[in-house]
Amino acid sequence: MSYISIRHLTKSFTFRDGTQLTVLKDVNCEIQKGEVISIIGPSGTGKSTLLRAMNMLEPPTSGEIWVDGENITAKGYPLDKMRRKMGMVFQSFNLFDHMTVLENIIYAPMELLHIPADEAKAEAMELLKKVGMAQKADVYPSSLSGGQKQRVAIARSLAMHPEVILFDEPTSALDPTMVGEVLSVMRQLAQSGLTMLIVTHEMRFARDVSTRIFFMNEGVIYEDGTPEQIFGHPVHSATKAFVNRIHKLVYDIDSDDFDFLNIHTGINRFCIKYNITDKIEPANALVREMLFERMRQYRPVTIRLTHAELTGVTALDIMVEHLNLSPLTDADRQALQPNVKELIEEPTTRGFRMKMIL
Amino acid sequence: MKKLLALIGATLLLAACSGGVEDFREPKSEADLSGLTLATSNGTYYQIMYSRREDVELYVANIETDAIQAVRQGKADVYVSDEVLLPDEDQKRLGMKMAFRGQECFDVAFAVKKGNTELLEQLNAFLATAPLHDITDHWIHGAPYVDEPPYEINPDAKPLRCVTGANIFPISILCDGGEWRGIDPDILRRFAHAQGRPFEMSFQDLGAAIIGLETGQADIVSANLLVTEERAKSVDFSIPYYQCHPGYFVVDRSAGGRLSLRERLHMNLVVENRWRLITDGLAVTIIITLCSILLGSLLGVGVCVCRRSKRNWLRKSADIYSDFINGIPTLVLLLIMFYVVFATSGLSATVVAVITFSLCFASSSGAIFDNAIASVPQGQTEAGLSLGFTPYKTFTGIVFPQAVCKGINLYIGECIALLKNTSIVGYIAIQDITRASDLIRSRTFDALIPLLIVTVIYFLLAWLLRRLLLLIIKKDAR
């Protein structure tokens, strides 16, 4: 029998103005003891909500969650008992600011498991050593860096000897220089055989450490498999785009009085977001050149900026419908030359495409 | 401490600089008053009389002491009052003299609730036969005091509750030990005792005293009340027990030097054991403040629970409650509570004050508690829950200690504001420390020293209260 079983789980939020947002739509899965599962997927697809539903921080709208053979969604179920077996590590660390590092760790074992103070302290020091924070035992969390806080939070969770630990984007709030120290602690935990569920955007980590991957999209577990299956041979196109990390920006232009400044801003944002600021200049120059000069008489036109994070390739596609010959002259190609690494002109099923690799 | 000393120094300097008026022609009759500023106190007959004369400017002070002070400081030229209120001795001490005695002669009587004919007839019958001259001669001319006959008093009988609107010699003064003496109380005490009833007296503004008469909190109001037609419309007057002339007083330029600071301190604190008014008032202030903080904080927890409730109607009612309390000045609320809500309840004024201040404090402390709890990030609660704490234990062990740290300063500030706010309880006849200074002022006609003393006491009280609360809360939060 599986350790955690999720059956027909849905979760929707109702806002004050009466609108409803469904975040989870009929999620089903079985989780065995000892599994290390990474939950990946685009933002806003319910990854965190699913994780938070598992320890009932986010009570589901319908469906059932069974943990260790018990229905924790049943009314009146003693959630505090269940949560002692299911630790959680938060994106924002949530250390208790009014307690020292050591007090943070021993508080729950002493209060809930009634472990004597000296015993709890000894164990806490062991855990702190394990996460490399022993010499900070007596400081307050406010003087720690983000990475240090997160390592303490992991130790705090471990002090309750949980069967499972849920990690809710544990490195998302961290400075890039501190991600490594937290991931290495988690790697170490994964090897110790602890059951872990990790919502993460760290693809390499997910691929290396997990025994299983959930790809979530649009409120369901879209694809569920081993890292090899998900990253090597994804079945669905959404999975493919996500694991290859291909990002798109699309504009349809059907008349001459389109909002060029809006496109300009969109391109800037896109390049800043994916850290390809060196492409801002050429992309804008090409769009301006093509729309106002070379392709002036062709409407409607679709322009698409794509960036594949894995390969680092950025491309600007310009597509014209109902056209099977290239609209470009040699002079045009000459003019585009300085900004384009490679120009591919090809007819498609719907028209003609010019792919410019930046 | 340095700041405090600087404050005292500045106040003394101001007081020393005041005074010094240019010469003016001393009035010898009512006609001479033209063009002068006339000081009187609020609610007197002179206020009404001279507000009709367009050539005279009026300076209306709240109490007689302040009116006299206005003339001494040159804010007004002439102080008008019942002649007996400023005897020769006091005139000399204050550097004043009577310019002339008014032509009119007024009847002075007691007021009872309109329509209370039974009490009125008893009072009139008593006044018609009582040796009133013995009493007035003693207080005005210093004749030997004639003891009252040995009446038989039933201690269980309903006491005769009298309110005086004048705390001034020789009308009625509060003596050492809390006993009221003077013309009015001595007559009324005999009347009460003649009826076999115990006698009670308290001091309020005349306006408030008249309201007390209507709402049944007082049986008789006395304040050297001149019988006028206007007044007779709202109260019933007894037969007159005395006749008085108005006196017009001016600064006596030939008078000698001022009193030294040492003499003034002696006069304000030592004579007639006046320091006991201050210590008694201090106890009252402390009791009202501490009780209100305690009760108000308990209610505040309730307000906070309502504000944080999931139930809409509970949140709404907490909002309405806060808006209601915040929208009414504390003094007005206090008067409403005393004269309307608890008028017939028989609760003592102190209890009503504690209830009122608690209601106000509940509103503000409830908001402080709510904000303090809301300022603890939701993540702290989630971390506690996810470790396996119950929601209750998460709150008490994790959220509450952090909320205390965040809210403590605002809370203590609110407590000190409450302490200072209690200075208005004098309006419902409670003798707190502010009222004690008023009482001393109206006996000694010295504005500075009593005010200075209560200033220092309030300052020290606030400082002590802050220390005390910090000690208690820090200990509790651990």
Side-chain angles (χ1 to χ4, degrees):
Chain A
M1 204 179 86
S2 50
Y3 186 66
I4 300 176
S5 167
I6 294 177
R7 300 170 191 173
H8 305 295
L9 189 72
T10 65
K11 171 77 189 177
S12 44
F13 296 97
T14 310
F15 296 103
R16 243 176 220 182
D17 57 1
T19 53
Q20 265 210 344
L21 178 71
T22 304
V23 183
L24 297 176
K25 304 170 190 162
D26 194 23
V27 174
N28 293 282
C29 68
E30 304 286 322
I31 294 160
Q32 310 297 330
K33 252 194 176 166
E35 283 192 299
V36 177
I37 300 178
S38 289
I39 305 172
I40 61 171
S43 306
T45 50
K47 305 186 295 291
S48 285
T49 311
L50 174 63
L51 200 73
R52 288 162 58 80
M54 285 187 201
N55 69 353
M56 294 292 279
L57 279 184
E58 212 74 81
T61 310
S62 68
E64 287 178 358
I65 300 170
W66 291 69
V67 175
D68 210 3
E70 289 179 67
N71 180 5
I72 66 165
T73 43
K75 216 175 169 190
Y77 182 84
L79 291 171
D80 52 313
K81 301 271 172 5
M82 176 276 290
R83 285 174 180 145
R84 289 177 198 179
K85 298 184 292 183
M86 197 184 282
M88 185 153 196
V89 174
F90 300 86
Q91 180 178 351
S92 50
F93 329 121
N94 298 346
L95 292 180
F96 305 136
D97 292 329
H98 62 305
M99 299 182 185
T100 64
V101 164
L102 190 71
E103 283 165 355
N104 258 280
I105 295 173
I106 61 176
Y107 185 55
M110 282 176 63
E111 292 283 321
L112 298 174
L113 308 178
H114 308 293
I115 292 173
D118 43 346
E119 207 175 300
K121 272 182 197 163
E123 204 199 328
M125 288 312 292
E126 279 305 307
L127 287 169
L128 283 174
K129 253 178 226 158
K130 205 164 152 185
V131 300
M133 290 296 295
Q135 77 273 45
K136 297 277 187 185
D138 294 320
V139 307
Y140 281 87
S142 53
S143 64
L144 298 179
S145 73
Q148 291 174 322
K149 281 184 194 171
Q150 197 60 298
R151 285 187 279 151
V152 173
I154 292 172
R156 177 176 70 178
S157 189
L158 287 171
M160 287 296 287
H161 300 288
E163 310 269 351
V164 190
I165 298 186
L166 312 173
F167 293 85
D168 187 5
E169 305 202 23
T171 58
S172 295
L174 296 181
D175 193 285
T177 56
M178 295 169 187
V179 172
E181 61 192 72
V182 173
L183 291 185
S184 79
V185 169
M186 289 171 65
R187 223 177 274 266
Q188 198 183 311
L189 284 181
Q191 279 156 9
S192 72
L194 181 74
T195 312
M196 293 162 70
L197 280 118
I198 311 157
V199 171
T200 184
H201 291 288
E202 299 291 334
M203 293 302 150
R204 176 157 303 159
F205 172 80
R207 188 171 187 164
D208 293 353
V209 171
S210 315
T211 57
R212 195 172 159 199
I213 307 273
F214 290 171
F215 172 67
M216 284 197 71
N217 196 18
E218 293 173 354
V220 293
I221 298 178
Y222 214 72
E223 216 167 322
D224 169 1
T226 64
E228 171 56 22
Q229 281 168 342
I230 300 287
F231 286 102
H233 316 283
V235 179
H236 299 290
S237 62
T239 319
K240 224 177 275 178
F242 183 79
V243 299
N244 290 326
R245 277 168 284 169
I246 297 171
H247 311 290
K248 283 188 277 191
L249 179 72
V250 180
Y251 291 101
D252 289 315
I253 289 139
D254 41 18
S255 74
D256 274 340
D257 43 337
F258 61 93
D259 186 354
F260 176 72
L261 284 179
N262 181 35
I263 299 176
H264 181 74
T265 315
I267 290 174
N268 288 2
R269 281 218 190 106
F270 183 87
C271 293
I272 289 165
K273 186 172 174 190
Y274 299 111
N275 206 15
I276 42 168
T277 44
D278 56 318
K279 310 288 190 215
I280 292 179
E281 268 310 305
N284 276 313
L286 278 176
V287 169
R288 201 181 304 117
E289 180 86 15
M290 293 296 273
L291 290 179
F292 291 114
E293 306 289 339
R294 313 291 156 203
M295 308 281 299
R296 200 180 187 128
Q297 58 272 50
Y298 297 96
R299 295 289 187 270
V301 188
T302 301
I303 65 172
R304 185 170 72 180
L305 187 64
T306 57
H307 174 68
E309 219 177 297
L310 221 54
T311 55
V313 174
T314 313
L316 181 70
D317 296 356
I318 298 196
M319 289 158 292
V320 190
E321 283 178 33
H322 317 300
L323 196 73
N324 39 29
L325 281 175
S326 176
L328 297 179
T329 64
D330 276 347
D332 291 338
R333 290 185 189 107
Q334 203 74 48
L336 297 174
Q337 196 68 48
N339 288 323
V340 177
K341 279 184 194 150
E342 196 186 341
L343 177 64
I344 305 157
E345 294 166 72
E346 55 184 8
T348 61
T349 47
R350 292 167 63 195
F352 198 83
R353 176 168 64 194
M354 288 144 282
K355 194 177 191 70
M356 290 164 275
I357 311 290
L358 299 177
Chain B
M1 214 55 199
K2 264 187 189 164
K3 270 189 201 160
L4 182 70
L5 285 176
L7 186 82
I8 295 173
T11 324
L12 281 173
L13 205 66
L14 266 176
C17 292
S18 57
V21 212
E22 39 185 289
D23 279 338
F24 80 111
R25 199 175 41 78
E26 230 174 74
K28 288 295 166 213
S29 71
E30 276 95 340
D32 291 348
L33 293 171
S34 179
L36 296 179
T37 304
L38 205 57
T40 184
S41 79
N42 196 10
T44 57
Y45 176 65
Y46 307 105
Q47 185 192 356
I48 305 164
M49 191 162 102
Y50 281 102
S51 63
R52 293 191 192 120
R53 254 183 80 169
E54 281 175 11
D55 58 336
V56 174
E57 207 172 312
L58 263 186
Y59 180 98
V60 182
N62 239 349
I63 53 176
E64 300 288 342
T65 315
D66 294 342
I68 294 170
Q69 199 62 24
V71 174
R72 294 180 69 207
Q73 292 178 344
K75 289 178 197 149
D77 303 311
V78 182
Y79 166 60
V80 59
S81 170
D82 305 337
E83 179 191 19
V84 291
L85 294 192
L86 207 56
D88 289 350
E89 206 178 301
D90 279 332
Q91 288 175 34
K92 236 174 244 152
R93 190 162 55 75
L94 295 166
M96 302 203 30
K97 64 177 180 188
M98 194 195 287
F100 65 94
R101 167 192 268 198
Q103 294 303 312
E104 290 158 285
C105 179
F106 297 111
D107 284 338
V108 179
F110 297 115
V112 301
K113 185 181 179 178
K114 204 153 184 64
N116 192 352
T117 42
E118 190 193 344
L119 182 65
L120 189 64
E121 276 163 18
Q122 288 168 349
L123 184 58
N124 284 344
F126 172 80
L127 291 175
T129 56
L132 299 174
H133 271 290
D134 288 353
I135 296 171
T136 49
D137 280 355
H138 168 71
W139 286 105
I140 297 171
H141 304 299
Y145 185 70
V146 184
D147 283 325
E148 67 173 64
Y151 295 115
E152 215 168 282
I153 306 156
N154 174 10
D156 297 329
K158 211 168 155 244
L160 183 75
R161 291 161 306 164
C162 302
V163 177
T164 174
N167 173 57
I168 193 162
F169 185 87
I171 308 303
S172 40
I173 54 169
L174 186 58
C175 292
D176 183 21
E179 194 192 12
W180 283 92
R181 298 299 308 277
I183 298 173
D184 287 358
D186 282 358
I187 295 175
L188 289 172
R189 184 180 297 106
R190 279 178 200 209
F191 169 60
H193 290 175
Q195 303 241 313
R197 297 165 72 179
F199 171 74
E200 275 180 11
M201 184 166 253
S202 62
F203 170 49
Q204 287 183 24
D205 280 354
L206 188 57
I210 299 290
I211 299 174
L213 209 54
E214 277 163 22
T215 57
Q217 274 141 320
D219 298 318
I220 297 177
V221 167
S222 71
N224 210 41
L225 283 173
L226 308 188
V227 179
T228 62
E229 272 177 39
E230 274 111 333
R231 284 177 176 167
K233 281 177 194 158
S234 49
V235 294
D236 281 343
F237 279 109
S238 68
I239 57 170
Y241 60 89
Y242 169 67
Q243 254 122 21
C244 94
H245 288 276
Y248 294 82
F249 302 91
V250 294
V251 175
D252 184 2
R253 258 144 253 276
S254 61
R258 294 160 168 274
L259 293 177
S260 73
L261 183 65
R262 199 194 157 90
E263 283 167 320
R264 286 168 78 181
L265 280 173
H266 183 267
M267 174 180 78
N268 280 295
L269 289 177
V270 183
V271 175
E272 289 181 9
N273 278 344
R274 289 182 185 136
W275 57 271
R276 285 193 43 183
L277 286 172
I278 299 223
T279 50
D280 290 352
L282 181 64
V284 170
T285 295
I286 291 176
I287 287 171
I288 293 179
T289 305
L290 292 185
C291 289
S292 303
I293 289 177
L294 212 68
L295 188 62
S297 298
L298 283 178
L299 288 172
V301 170
V303 171
C304 173
V305 168
C306 290
R307 285 174 67 121
R308 302 190 65 76
S309 165
K310 280 182 193 138
R311 280 171 238 265
N312 212 8
W313 65 269
L314 268 177
R315 285 203 310 273
K316 274 267 161 58
S317 27
D319 275 355
I320 292 170
Y321 174 74
S322 293
D323 286 350
F324 180 75
I325 296 284
N326 294 342
I328 305 176
T330 315
L331 173 58
V332 177
L333 186 68
L334 185 69
L335 293 176
I336 291 175
M337 293 298 256
F338 188 67
Y339 290 116
V340 183
V341 180
F342 292 110
T344 54
S345 67
L347 288 180
S348 81
T350 310
V351 174
V352 174
V354 168
I355 293 174
T356 308
F357 286 116
S358 299
L359 289 177
C360 292
F361 195 68
S363 159
S364 49
S365 67
I368 289 173
F369 296 156
D370 180 19
N371 289 339
I373 292 168
S375 71
V376 177
Q378 178 65 18
Q380 298 285 316
T381 306
E382 291 185 351
L385 290 176
S386 75
L387 281 168
F389 288 102
T390 57
Y392 172 75
K393 186 75 186 119
T394 303
F395 180 79
T396 56
I398 294 162
V399 176
F400 183 71
Q402 296 187 58
V404 168
C405 291
K406 299 190 187 215
I408 184 168
N409 280 326
L410 276 176
Y411 177 74
I412 289 178
E414 204 58 44
C415 290
I416 287 170
L418 171 67
L419 164 72
K420 293 189 285 188
N421 255 340
T422 59
S423 61
I424 60 174
V425 294
Y427 277 85
I428 58 169
I430 298 173
Q431 276 169 33
D432 74 322
I433 186 160
T434 304
R435 187 42 71 113
S437 90
D438 284 348
L439 291 171
I440 294 177
R441 273 195 308 149
S442 47
R443 285 290 285 124
T444 62
F445 301 110
D446 186 345
L448 180 67
I449 302 294
L451 281 178
L452 212 58
I453 290 169
V454 293
T455 307
V456 174
I457 290 179
Y458 271 115
F459 183 83
L460 293 178
L461 269 185
W463 181 80
L464 272 175
L465 185 62
R466 179 180 295 277
R467 293 276 124 193
L468 181 75
L469 287 170
L470 273 175
L471 208 74
I472 295 172
I473 297 172
K474 284 256 165 82
K475 207 172 174 186
D476 249 27
R478 271 285 126 192

